[in-house]
């Protein structure tokens, strides 16, 4: 494992102000994440996990604190540059899938390529490869409504991978899935991590968090614990990685 | 090209949100359709008036005096009976006057056996023909003798002649006008429909004396045509005519004229004025209808953006810039306006054609409103799309995705 830090956040504070009411959601968070690491963030509901993810994913700015992503200070960047980072360096996976309704799996996976600085010539092949990789070569022209939950989540993984990002940010990726589909999705993440991609997964589920090498616990907007998972990469019963190959 | 990719996304957005797309299209479509129909009616009215003037057969040295106060063809009182043959004789005696044609006029039904038609019947003096310089293609015009003897002779325009006799020669035939039989002695040269559908050939002429004593049975005149000896004498002639008529009609110096002049200049001035008024109204109506269409688009887009907040969030997550979102929604609004404009133009054209076909209103279809409709609808789409598009773009990504 390299010691290059892909993410370095320092004393991040996030305060929501609405109608004179101030909510301190993140109260000084500092983490450094190595490139290629496999991290899960757990914690009770309302502890600020999703908020932290929007900041890590450059979807929103922290109220104060610094954030270095790939050695770039995110707080200083314009909308244009933030969009480029989201496009090139980060792949998002959401609990609610967030696929465009009525749009085929193929076109959903294509979305990140629309907003590239230059759409690659082999875009079509890349989309096909990504969908084959998640085992959906026979569902390319199906719309989300015609796909099962597990299939939809696999489409979102293909979408997050299409631009070959360094970091995958997943917010409760198994939250809407049954255990069988959950296991398959987690196997895919394990696989992606083995390829060297940095994976950050937010979850409630201890089975899911046990896939990660490092487990962060968030409580009331602060890091309550930060530990290395001794069970990491131990063979787990009940699934095989072959499923995603 | 990023912009063309956003255009493609706009097409997709419209396709996926058919309901909203339909409503937006409808808003613009109705605006543009009403605009094109109104313009067509406006143009039709204008050209009808213009061709009416042309068919009046005014030379620069002539004008008409109509009985009754008012302006041009619009008398304020239809029952004025003050204008008489005495007036015509007095005016004819003026040195500046070359010809006076006293006229009576009524729309009547004329009948040949089983065929009948309705036409404008004029009682005029024989000077009508030299004053109008309208050729008689068959037979003759009536003369002073016919006038003196109050003969029941009639000269037909091409339209009633055709309606009653078809291709047959009408000369020498007897026809009935109201309850009175007339002999057809002449046929006027056909002038043909004017552009707007006004038919100058739809008329019949009888001696004035006959119309006074045997047909209309009234002594007063409808109007007089006055030809002065020189175009420059027209003004002076009109002043003289005014004096004579006021004196003959016994009007005190405080009373208004009970007659009115119809001159080529007067008509032209009136046409210009009404054209300006019409154009102002057209401008107002089209602005309002397009504004309505624009507001419809803006509101539906705002609703649409609220419905599609997830989509915006997803696009932003995967690299869409604010400008991409702005462009996409602007394109959607412009495309929908263009579509509405196109459909509105088609609908407007159809309605105008139908109006013309069924002869409800004078209609003249010109290309201009359709071109304008296109340009305007695009501008409307652009202007009313800006606010919703910016609003969508300025949503922060983390708000749109949660
Ligand atoms: N826009 C906002 N305005 C005000 N408060 C907010 C806003 N967004 C989030 N919060 C608050 O911030 C807190 C943390 O929210 P967050 O979504 O990060 O929690 P979470 O850890 O992801 O919880 P869960 O496990 O239920 O998803 C919550 O109490 C929430 O009410
Ligand atoms: Mg959450």
């Amino acid at each position: 494992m390299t010691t290059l830090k892909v993410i370095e956040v320092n004393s991040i504070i996030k305060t929501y102000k609405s109608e004179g009411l101030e909510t301190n959601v993140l109260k000084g968070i500092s983490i450094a994440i190595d490139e290629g690491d496999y991290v899960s963030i757990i914690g009770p509901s309302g502890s600020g996990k999703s908020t932290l993810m929007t900041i890590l994913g450059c979807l929103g700015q922290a109220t104060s604190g610094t954030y270095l992503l790939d050695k770039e200070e995110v707080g200083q960047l314009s909308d244009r540059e933030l969009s480029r980072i989201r496009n090139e360096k980060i792949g998002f996976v959401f609990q609610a899938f967030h696929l465009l309704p009525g749009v085929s799996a193929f076109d959903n996976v294509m979305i990140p390529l629309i907003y590239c600085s230059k759409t690659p010539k082999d875009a079509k092949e890349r989309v096909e490869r990504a969908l084959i990789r998640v085992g959906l070569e026979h569902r390319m022209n199906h719309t989300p409504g015609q796909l099962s939950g597990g299939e939809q989540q696999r489409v979102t993984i293909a979408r997050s991978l299409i631009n070959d990002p360094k970091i995958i940010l997943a917010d409760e990726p198994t939250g809407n899935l049954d255990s069988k589909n959950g296991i398959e999705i987690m196997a895919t993440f394990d696989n992606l991590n083995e390829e060297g991609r940095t994976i950050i997964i937010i979850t409630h589920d201890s089975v899911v968090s046990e896939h990660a090498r490092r487990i962060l616990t968030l409580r009331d907007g602060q890091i309550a614990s930060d530990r290395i998972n001794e069970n990491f990469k131990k063979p787990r019963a009940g699934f095989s990685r072959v499923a995603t190959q | 090209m990023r912009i063309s990719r956003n255009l493609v996304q706009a097409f997709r957005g419209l396709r996926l949100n058919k309901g909203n797309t339909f409503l937006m299209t409808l808003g613009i479509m109705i605006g543009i359709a009403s605009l094109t129909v109104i313009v067509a009616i406006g143009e039709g009215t204008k050209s009808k008036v213009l061709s009416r003037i042309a068919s009046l057969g005014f030379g620069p040295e002539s004008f008409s005096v109509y009985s009754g106060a008012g302006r041009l063809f619009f008398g304020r009182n239809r029952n004025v009976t003050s204008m008489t043959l005495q007036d015509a004789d007095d005016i004819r005696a003026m040195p500046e006057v070359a010809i006076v044609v006293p006229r009576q006029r009524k729309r009547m039904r004329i009948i040949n056996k089983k065929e009948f038609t309705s036409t404008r019947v004029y009682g005029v003096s024989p000077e009508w023909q030299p004053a109008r310089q309208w050729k008689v293609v068959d037979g003759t015009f009536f003369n002073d003798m016919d006038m003196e003897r109050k003969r029941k002779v009639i000269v037909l325009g091409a339209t009633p002649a055709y309606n009653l006799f078809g291709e047959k020669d009408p000369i020498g035939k007897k026809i009935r006008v109201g309850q009175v039989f007339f002999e057809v002695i002449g046929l006027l040269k056909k002038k043909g429909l004017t552009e707007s559908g006004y038919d100058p050939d739809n008329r019949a002429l009888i001696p004035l004396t006959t119309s006074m004593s045997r047909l209309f049975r009234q002594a007063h005149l409808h109007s007089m045509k006055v030809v002065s000896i020189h175009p420059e004498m027209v003004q002076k002639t009109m002043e003289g005519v005014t004096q004579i008529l006021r004196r003959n009609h016994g009007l005190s110096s405080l009373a208004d004229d009970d007659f009115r002049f119809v001159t080529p200049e007067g008509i032209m001035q009136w046409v210009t004025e009404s054209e300006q008024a019409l154009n102002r109204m057209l401008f107002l109506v089209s602005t309002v209808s397009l504004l309505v269409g624009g507001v419809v688009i803006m509101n539906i887009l705002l609703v649409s953006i609220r419905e599609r907040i997830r989509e915006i969030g997803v696009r932003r997550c995967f690299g869409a810039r604010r400008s991409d979102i702005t462009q996409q929604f602007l394109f959607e609004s412009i495309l929908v306006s263009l579509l509405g404009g196109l459909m509105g133009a088609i609908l407007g054209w159809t309605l105008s054609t139908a109006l013309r076909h069924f002869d409800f209103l004078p209609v003249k279809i010109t290309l201009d409103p359709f071109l304008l409709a296109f340009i305007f609808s695009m501008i409307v789409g652009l202007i009313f799309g800006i606010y919703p598009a910016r609003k969508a773009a300025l949503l922060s990504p983390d708000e749109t995705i949660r």
Side-chain angles (χ1 to χ4, degrees), chain A residues 16 18 23 25 43-51 172 204, chain B residues 399 402:
Chain A
Y16 285 112
S18 56
T23 324
V25 179
S45 185
S47 56
K49 304 184 297 294
S50 295
T51 306
E172 311 252 15
H204 273 117
Chain B
E399 297 290 324
R402 67 170 51 251

Side-chain angles (χ1 to χ4, degrees), chain B residues 133-199:
Chain B
Q133 306 202 325
W134 194 330
K135 282 210 179 76
V136 176
V137 287
D138 197 358
T140 53
F141 204 77
F142 44 80
N143 54 29
D144 290 341
M145 185 70 91
D146 298 317
M147 184 78 166
E148 230 166 79
R149 303 249 168 106
K150 302 176 185 169
R151 280 199 180 125
K152 293 185 279 182
V153 290
I154 191 162
V155 175
L156 293 179
T159 302
Y162 181 80
N163 287 342
L164 295 186
F165 296 99
E167 301 296 339
K168 285 195 219 97
D169 183 8
I171 305 298
K173 300 273 163 37
K174 292 270 187 205
I175 60 168
R176 193 150 67 82
V177 181
Q179 299 303 323
V180 185
F181 280 93
F182 281 78
E183 183 188 344
V184 182
I185 58 160
L187 183 60
L188 291 173
K189 184 175 159 60
K190 183 173 174 142
K191 292 200 166 184
L193 287 184
T194 64
E195 208 178 334
S196 66
Y198 172 73
D199 181 9

Side-chain angles (χ1 to χ4, degrees), chain A residues 38 133-136 148 150-151 153-154 157 174 177-191 211 238-245:
Chain A
Y38 197 167
R133 165 149 204 194
V134 295
L136 287 176
S148 74
E151 286 170 331
Q153 197 60 300
R154 283 190 272 155
I157 291 174
T174 59
L177 303 177
D178 61 21
S179 59
K180 179 178 160 291
N181 275 309
I183 287 164
E184 278 184 21
I185 294 296
M186 287 316 295
T188 311
F189 282 119
D190 294 348
N191 229 298
H211 281 252
F239 78 94
S240 95
R241 285 184 185 175
V242 180
T244 57
Q245 274 162 4

Side-chain angles (χ1 to χ4, degrees), chain B residues 9 27 48 51 62 80 91 97 104 110 120 137 143 156 169 180 210 226 236 273 297 304 314-315 345-346 351 355:
Chain B
Q9 295 308 306
K48 179 164 187 171
S51 61
S62 60
V80 177
I91 290 168
V97 171
Q104 290 190 322
I110 59 177
R120 299 187 300 273
V137 287
N143 54 29
L156 293 179
D169 183 8
V180 185
T210 316
V226 181
K236 191 156 176 255
E273 280 169 21
I297 285 207
S304 179
V314 169
R315 291 180 186 280
I346 292 171
L351 288 177
L355 282 178

Side-chain angles (χ1 to χ4, degrees), chain A residues 14 16 51 54 59-60 79-80 83 86-87 91-92 94 98 100-103 107 111-119 159-160, chain B residues 2 5-6 9 12 15-16 310-325 328 396-402:
Chain A
K14 179 73 179 181
Y16 285 112
T51 306
T54 59
L59 294 169
D79 174 71
R80 220 166 215 269
S83 301
R86 289 195 294 266
N87 184 251
F92 292 91
F94 299 99
H98 292 342
L100 298 193
V103 177
D107 284 331
I111 289 170
L113 297 181
I114 298 169
Y115 300 111
C116 281
S117 47
K118 197 168 185 294
T119 305
R159 177 177 64 182
S160 73
Chain B
R2 224 177 157 100
R5 283 180 258 160
N6 288 328
Q9 295 308 306
R12 171 179 286 170
R15 189 161 47 78
L16 289 175
R310 267 297 122 66
E311 173 192 335
I312 297 165
V314 169
R315 291 180 186 280
R316 296 280 276 148
C317 274
F318 290 98
R321 303 168 183 165
R322 276 188 200 130
S323 60
D324 291 322
I325 302 296
Q328 180 185 334
S396 107
D398 62 338
E399 297 290 324
T400 52
I401 206 71
R402 67 170 51 251

